[in-house]
Each structure stands twice: as structure tokens, then as C-alpha cells.
Short mmCIF file of all heavy atoms in Angstrom, two decimals:
data_model
loop_
_atom_site.label_atom_id
_atom_site.label_comp_id
_atom_site.label_asym_id
_atom_site.label_seq_id
_atom_site.Cartn_x
_atom_site.Cartn_y
_atom_site.Cartn_z
N THR A 2 2.59 -3.70 8.07
CA THR A 2 3.94 -4.27 7.96
C THR A 2 4.79 -3.37 7.08
O THR A 2 4.27 -2.66 6.21
CB THR A 2 3.91 -5.69 7.37
OG1 THR A 2 3.28 -5.64 6.09
CG2 THR A 2 3.15 -6.64 8.28
N CYS A 3 6.09 -3.43 7.29
CA CYS A 3 7.02 -2.63 6.49
C CYS A 3 7.97 -3.60 5.78
O CYS A 3 8.72 -4.35 6.43
CB CYS A 3 7.80 -1.66 7.36
SG CYS A 3 8.77 -0.46 6.41
N ASN A 4 7.90 -3.61 4.46
CA ASN A 4 8.74 -4.51 3.66
C ASN A 4 10.08 -3.81 3.38
O ASN A 4 10.18 -2.95 2.51
CB ASN A 4 8.02 -4.86 2.35
CG ASN A 4 8.81 -5.85 1.51
OD1 ASN A 4 9.90 -6.28 1.88
ND2 ASN A 4 8.25 -6.21 0.37
N TYR A 5 11.11 -4.23 4.12
CA TYR A 5 12.42 -3.61 3.99
C TYR A 5 13.24 -4.23 2.85
O TYR A 5 14.37 -3.80 2.60
CB TYR A 5 13.19 -3.73 5.30
CG TYR A 5 12.56 -2.94 6.42
CD1 TYR A 5 11.79 -3.58 7.39
CD2 TYR A 5 12.74 -1.56 6.50
CE1 TYR A 5 11.20 -2.85 8.42
CE2 TYR A 5 12.16 -0.82 7.53
CZ TYR A 5 11.39 -1.48 8.48
OH TYR A 5 10.81 -0.75 9.49
N ASN A 6 12.66 -5.23 2.16
CA ASN A 6 13.38 -5.84 1.04
C ASN A 6 13.38 -4.93 -0.19
O ASN A 6 14.14 -5.15 -1.13
CB ASN A 6 12.75 -7.19 0.68
CG ASN A 6 12.95 -8.21 1.79
OD1 ASN A 6 13.97 -8.19 2.47
ND2 ASN A 6 11.96 -9.08 1.98
N SER A 7 12.45 -3.96 -0.21
CA SER A 7 12.40 -3.00 -1.32
C SER A 7 13.20 -1.76 -0.95
O SER A 7 13.46 -1.49 0.22
CB SER A 7 10.95 -2.62 -1.62
OG SER A 7 10.20 -3.76 -1.97
N SER A 8 13.54 -1.00 -1.97
CA SER A 8 14.27 0.24 -1.74
C SER A 8 13.60 1.37 -2.55
O SER A 8 13.65 1.35 -3.77
CB SER A 8 15.74 0.11 -2.16
OG SER A 8 16.44 1.31 -1.89
N PRO A 9 12.95 2.34 -1.87
CA PRO A 9 12.79 2.41 -0.41
C PRO A 9 11.82 1.36 0.10
O PRO A 9 11.14 0.70 -0.67
CB PRO A 9 12.24 3.82 -0.21
CG PRO A 9 11.49 4.10 -1.46
CD PRO A 9 12.27 3.46 -2.57
N ALA A 10 11.77 1.21 1.44
CA ALA A 10 10.87 0.24 2.07
C ALA A 10 9.42 0.56 1.71
O ALA A 10 9.07 1.71 1.45
CB ALA A 10 11.07 0.25 3.59
N VAL A 11 8.59 -0.48 1.70
CA VAL A 11 7.19 -0.33 1.29
C VAL A 11 6.27 -0.67 2.46
O VAL A 11 6.36 -1.75 3.04
CB VAL A 11 6.85 -1.24 0.08
CG1 VAL A 11 5.37 -1.14 -0.28
CG2 VAL A 11 7.72 -0.87 -1.11
N LEU A 12 5.38 0.27 2.81
CA LEU A 12 4.37 0.04 3.85
C LEU A 12 3.25 -0.80 3.24
O LEU A 12 2.82 -0.55 2.11
CB LEU A 12 3.82 1.38 4.34
CG LEU A 12 2.85 1.33 5.51
CD1 LEU A 12 3.53 0.81 6.77
CD2 LEU A 12 2.24 2.71 5.77
N GLN A 13 2.75 -1.81 4.00
CA GLN A 13 1.77 -2.73 3.43
C GLN A 13 0.61 -3.00 4.39
O GLN A 13 0.79 -3.08 5.61
CB GLN A 13 2.43 -4.08 3.08
CG GLN A 13 3.45 -3.99 1.95
CD GLN A 13 4.11 -5.32 1.67
OE1 GLN A 13 4.32 -6.12 2.58
NE2 GLN A 13 4.42 -5.58 0.41
N LEU A 14 -0.59 -3.13 3.79
CA LEU A 14 -1.78 -3.63 4.47
C LEU A 14 -2.23 -4.87 3.73
O LEU A 14 -2.55 -4.81 2.54
CB LEU A 14 -2.90 -2.57 4.45
CG LEU A 14 -4.27 -3.03 4.94
CD1 LEU A 14 -4.26 -3.21 6.46
CD2 LEU A 14 -5.37 -2.03 4.54
N TYR A 15 -2.24 -6.03 4.40
CA TYR A 15 -2.56 -7.32 3.74
C TYR A 15 -1.68 -7.52 2.50
O TYR A 15 -2.15 -7.92 1.45
CB TYR A 15 -4.01 -7.38 3.29
CG TYR A 15 -5.03 -6.91 4.29
CD1 TYR A 15 -6.07 -6.07 3.92
CD2 TYR A 15 -4.96 -7.32 5.63
CE1 TYR A 15 -7.01 -5.64 4.84
CE2 TYR A 15 -5.90 -6.89 6.54
CZ TYR A 15 -6.92 -6.05 6.15
OH TYR A 15 -7.84 -5.63 7.06
N ASN A 16 -0.41 -7.17 2.56
CA ASN A 16 0.54 -7.29 1.44
C ASN A 16 0.23 -6.34 0.29
O ASN A 16 0.77 -6.50 -0.81
CB ASN A 16 0.59 -8.73 0.91
CG ASN A 16 1.14 -9.69 1.95
OD1 ASN A 16 2.04 -9.34 2.70
ND2 ASN A 16 0.59 -10.89 2.00
N ILE A 17 -0.64 -5.36 0.52
CA ILE A 17 -0.95 -4.35 -0.50
C ILE A 17 -0.17 -3.08 -0.17
O ILE A 17 -0.24 -2.59 0.97
CB ILE A 17 -2.46 -4.02 -0.53
CG1 ILE A 17 -3.28 -5.29 -0.71
CG2 ILE A 17 -2.77 -3.03 -1.63
CD1 ILE A 17 -4.76 -5.07 -0.50
N PRO A 18 0.56 -2.51 -1.13
CA PRO A 18 1.31 -1.28 -0.85
C PRO A 18 0.40 -0.13 -0.42
O PRO A 18 -0.64 0.11 -1.03
CB PRO A 18 2.01 -0.99 -2.19
CG PRO A 18 2.07 -2.31 -2.89
CD PRO A 18 0.83 -3.04 -2.48
N VAL A 19 0.81 0.56 0.64
CA VAL A 19 0.09 1.74 1.13
C VAL A 19 0.84 2.98 0.66
O VAL A 19 2.03 3.15 0.91
CB VAL A 19 0.00 1.73 2.67
CG1 VAL A 19 -0.70 2.98 3.17
CG2 VAL A 19 -0.72 0.48 3.15
N VAL A 20 0.14 3.88 -0.03
CA VAL A 20 0.75 5.07 -0.60
C VAL A 20 0.64 6.27 0.34
O VAL A 20 1.54 7.11 0.41
CB VAL A 20 0.09 5.41 -1.96
CG1 VAL A 20 0.68 6.68 -2.55
CG2 VAL A 20 0.25 4.25 -2.92
N ASN A 21 -0.48 6.34 1.08
CA ASN A 21 -0.69 7.51 1.96
C ASN A 21 -1.74 7.15 3.01
O ASN A 21 -2.64 6.36 2.75
CB ASN A 21 -1.16 8.71 1.13
CG ASN A 21 -1.52 9.91 2.00
OD1 ASN A 21 -2.68 10.10 2.32
ND2 ASN A 21 -0.52 10.69 2.37
N ILE A 22 -1.61 7.75 4.20
CA ILE A 22 -2.62 7.62 5.26
C ILE A 22 -2.98 9.03 5.73
O ILE A 22 -2.10 9.83 6.03
CB ILE A 22 -2.10 6.80 6.45
CG1 ILE A 22 -1.72 5.39 6.01
CG2 ILE A 22 -3.15 6.74 7.56
CD1 ILE A 22 -1.06 4.57 7.11
N SER A 23 -4.29 9.34 5.79
CA SER A 23 -4.74 10.64 6.26
C SER A 23 -5.63 10.46 7.48
O SER A 23 -6.67 9.80 7.42
CB SER A 23 -5.53 11.37 5.16
OG SER A 23 -6.13 12.54 5.68
N VAL A 24 -5.21 11.05 8.61
CA VAL A 24 -6.02 11.02 9.82
C VAL A 24 -7.17 12.00 9.70
O VAL A 24 -8.30 11.73 10.13
CB VAL A 24 -5.15 11.34 11.06
CG1 VAL A 24 -6.01 11.52 12.30
CG2 VAL A 24 -4.13 10.24 11.29
N ASP A 25 -6.92 13.17 9.08
CA ASP A 25 -7.97 14.19 8.95
C ASP A 25 -9.15 13.70 8.12
O ASP A 25 -10.30 13.98 8.44
CB ASP A 25 -7.39 15.46 8.31
CG ASP A 25 -6.44 16.19 9.24
OD1 ASP A 25 -6.49 15.91 10.45
OD2 ASP A 25 -5.66 17.03 8.76
N GLU A 26 -8.88 12.96 7.03
CA GLU A 26 -9.95 12.51 6.15
C GLU A 26 -10.40 11.09 6.42
O GLU A 26 -11.41 10.64 5.88
CB GLU A 26 -9.50 12.62 4.68
CG GLU A 26 -9.26 14.05 4.23
CD GLU A 26 -8.97 14.13 2.74
OE1 GLU A 26 -8.36 13.18 2.20
OE2 GLU A 26 -9.35 15.12 2.12
N GLY A 27 -9.65 10.37 7.25
CA GLY A 27 -10.00 8.98 7.52
C GLY A 27 -9.85 8.10 6.30
O GLY A 27 -10.69 7.24 6.04
N THR A 28 -8.77 8.32 5.54
CA THR A 28 -8.57 7.57 4.29
C THR A 28 -7.18 6.95 4.24
O THR A 28 -6.26 7.38 4.94
CB THR A 28 -8.75 8.48 3.06
OG1 THR A 28 -7.79 9.55 3.12
CG2 THR A 28 -10.15 9.02 2.98
N MET A 29 -7.07 5.93 3.38
CA MET A 29 -5.80 5.29 3.10
C MET A 29 -5.75 5.02 1.60
O MET A 29 -6.69 4.47 1.03
CB MET A 29 -5.70 3.97 3.88
CG MET A 29 -4.45 3.15 3.58
SD MET A 29 -4.50 1.54 4.42
CE MET A 29 -4.27 2.05 6.10
N VAL A 30 -4.69 5.47 0.94
CA VAL A 30 -4.53 5.24 -0.49
C VAL A 30 -3.70 3.98 -0.68
O VAL A 30 -2.58 3.87 -0.18
CB VAL A 30 -3.85 6.44 -1.19
CG1 VAL A 30 -3.67 6.15 -2.68
CG2 VAL A 30 -4.67 7.70 -0.99
N LEU A 31 -4.29 2.98 -1.39
CA LEU A 31 -3.62 1.71 -1.65
C LEU A 31 -3.31 1.56 -3.13
O LEU A 31 -4.03 2.10 -3.98
CB LEU A 31 -4.50 0.54 -1.21
CG LEU A 31 -4.96 0.50 0.24
CD1 LEU A 31 -5.83 -0.72 0.49
CD2 LEU A 31 -3.77 0.50 1.19
N SER A 32 -2.26 0.84 -3.45
CA SER A 32 -1.91 0.54 -4.83
C SER A 32 -2.43 -0.85 -5.16
O SER A 32 -1.77 -1.85 -4.89
CB SER A 32 -0.39 0.62 -5.02
OG SER A 32 -0.04 0.39 -6.37
N LEU A 33 -3.66 -0.92 -5.73
CA LEU A 33 -4.32 -2.20 -5.98
C LEU A 33 -3.96 -2.75 -7.36
O LEU A 33 -3.77 -1.99 -8.31
CB LEU A 33 -5.83 -2.04 -5.89
CG LEU A 33 -6.40 -1.64 -4.52
CD1 LEU A 33 -7.92 -1.55 -4.59
CD2 LEU A 33 -5.99 -2.64 -3.46
N HIS A 34 -3.92 -4.06 -7.47
CA HIS A 34 -3.63 -4.71 -8.75
C HIS A 34 -4.71 -4.40 -9.78
O HIS A 34 -5.89 -4.26 -9.45
CB HIS A 34 -3.54 -6.23 -8.58
CG HIS A 34 -2.26 -6.68 -7.93
ND1 HIS A 34 -1.02 -6.39 -8.43
CD2 HIS A 34 -2.05 -7.40 -6.79
CE1 HIS A 34 -0.09 -6.92 -7.65
NE2 HIS A 34 -0.69 -7.53 -6.64
N THR A 35 -4.29 -4.31 -11.04
CA THR A 35 -5.19 -4.08 -12.16
C THR A 35 -5.59 -5.41 -12.79
O THR A 35 -4.74 -6.27 -13.01
CB THR A 35 -4.50 -3.19 -13.21
OG1 THR A 35 -4.17 -1.94 -12.62
CG2 THR A 35 -5.41 -2.96 -14.41
N ALA A 36 -6.90 -5.58 -13.07
CA ALA A 36 -7.35 -6.76 -13.82
C ALA A 36 -7.14 -6.50 -15.31
O ALA A 36 -7.31 -5.37 -15.78
CB ALA A 36 -8.83 -7.04 -13.54
N TYR A 37 -6.76 -7.54 -16.07
CA TYR A 37 -6.51 -7.33 -17.49
C TYR A 37 -6.71 -8.62 -18.27
O TYR A 37 -6.78 -9.71 -17.70
CB TYR A 37 -5.08 -6.81 -17.72
CG TYR A 37 -3.99 -7.77 -17.31
CD1 TYR A 37 -3.51 -8.75 -18.20
CD2 TYR A 37 -3.42 -7.70 -16.04
CE1 TYR A 37 -2.51 -9.62 -17.81
CE2 TYR A 37 -2.43 -8.57 -15.65
CZ TYR A 37 -1.97 -9.54 -16.55
OH TYR A 37 -0.98 -10.42 -16.17
N ASP A 38 -6.84 -8.49 -19.59
CA ASP A 38 -6.81 -9.64 -20.50
C ASP A 38 -6.12 -9.20 -21.79
O ASP A 38 -6.41 -8.14 -22.32
CB ASP A 38 -8.21 -10.19 -20.78
CG ASP A 38 -9.16 -9.16 -21.33
OD1 ASP A 38 -8.96 -7.96 -21.06
OD2 ASP A 38 -10.12 -9.54 -22.04
#
């Protein structure tokens, strides 16, 4: 999905931001939430 409410728009997988997709390496870089206390 592409979230056009952000500027610039944000590509998402399961509502997780996608930073990069590589066909050559078969990888996808996601911006995952950090756990904290």
C-alpha cells in the first residue's frame, strides 16, 4: 500500500514503512518499531 497522507508518500507492508526493495538480493528493508522502557 502507498500512504499518500504523508509527504513524501510512504510505501507500506502490513502498515510497516518500506525503505528499499532489492530484486537482485531478494530483500526488503523495513522500518520496524523499537521496544523500550
Side-chain angles (χ1 to χ4, degrees):
T2 58
C3 190
N4 183 359
Y5 294 102
N6 293 327
S7 300
S8 182
V11 177
L12 186 65
Q13 293 178 327
L14 171 72
Y15 314 135
N16 295 324
I17 305 170
V19 178
V20 178
N21 175 265
I22 300 174
S23 172
V24 172
D25 290 343
E26 295 186 328
T28 59
M29 175 186 289
V30 179
L31 303 180
S32 183
L33 296 181
H34 285 302
T35 299
Y37 64 87
D38 56 334

